[in-house]
Amino acid sequence: MMRVSRYAAIRFAVPLAALLLALLPAMPALAQQGVDLLTVADAEDGAQTYSVSLQVLAFMTALSLLPALLITMTSFTRILIVLAILRQGLGTQQTPSNQLLVGIALFLSFFVMAPVGERVYADAVQPYLEASMPASEALVSAADPVREFMQAQTRESDLALFAGLAGAAPIESADDVPFSLLLPAFVTSELKTAFQIGFLLLIPFLVIDLVVASVLMSMGMVMLSPLIISLPFKIMLFVLVDGWSLVMTTLAGSFYV
């Protein structure tokens, strides 16, 4: 085994050494030429523009934060929590699976956030790609539709709660709400709304569980778990009322009431 690994290391090292030797004559020229990582240019109106390499670096950094932004700034949180509570109420354990629930919540979030995405593309992305708008203005333009969506779903009580915790000055209008207060208030409101919808979904399943448990107790079948008997009835009720369509319609419509 030692002989095989030694030969493999030699076979890997020889081409690498040959490549380094081939690049040695060109290294001084590359060092003299250099690559500008950070270049700041002054525009005619006094604004500053940054080099493309720095913009690409900032964009790649933003991509690493994309999952957190997707969870906290869109409809994803509410939809996923409601679907998880629905699965718990049905008592189907891991059906649908976690991956399937996340996939459903993701694509339903795309449907809900489609108007916001279209505005972001029209107001910020397209002008930036056409070089008619700098990156700083594009970020501000892209944040406005998202801010409007978040403010429409945020309760004033939650916003006032975090404003009081931060000791912020009185907010006169919605445009004056800082993003540092809007984001936690939006997440708190989404959690409240998700659990309210989940509570309403659990009521019919709870009634079925109580009826089945009462019937089993009256028949003296104490050792038999009511969940085993109530599961087919809950699934049948959910299918008969076209439950998936009702849940999807309710979730999508709850954002634009």
Side-chain angles (χ1 to χ4, degrees), residues 48-116:
Q48 292 181 341
T49 59
Y50 299 92
S51 61
V52 177
S53 57
L54 186 62
Q55 295 179 13
V56 172
L57 179 61
F59 178 73
M60 297 303 295
T61 304
L63 285 181
S64 63
L65 301 175
L66 186 60
L69 297 178
L70 175 64
I71 293 174
T72 56
M73 296 175 58
T74 63
S75 59
F76 183 83
T77 300
R78 182 191 303 186
I79 296 172
L80 184 61
I81 292 177
V82 171
L83 293 178
I85 294 177
L86 174 62
R87 182 180 65 180
Q88 188 72 22
L90 285 172
T92 54
Q93 300 299 325
Q94 295 299 322
T95 304
S97 63
N98 293 331
Q99 293 82 357
L100 185 57
L101 287 184
V102 172
I104 295 174
L106 182 63
F107 285 102
L108 190 57
S109 299
F110 287 158
F111 174 78
V112 172
M113 301 298 295
V116 179

Side-chain angles (χ1 to χ4, degrees), residues 225-256:
S225 175
L227 296 178
I228 300 177
I229 307 300
S230 63
L231 178 60
F233 292 99
K234 289 190 288 188
I235 294 178
M236 180 183 66
L237 173 65
F238 192 70
V239 172
L240 289 177
V241 299
D242 198 8
W244 285 114
S245 298
L246 291 177
V247 171
M248 298 298 179
T249 304
T250 302
L251 284 174
S254 63
F255 291 95
Y256 296 102

Side-chain angles (χ1 to χ4, degrees), residues 171-196:
I171 301 174
E172 298 180 357
S173 63
D175 296 334
D176 298 333
V177 178
F179 192 77
S180 58
L181 297 180
L182 180 60
L183 181 57
F186 171 75
V187 174
T188 305
S189 298
E190 287 294 285
L191 291 175
K192 289 182 180 180
T193 305
F195 278 93
Q196 289 175 356

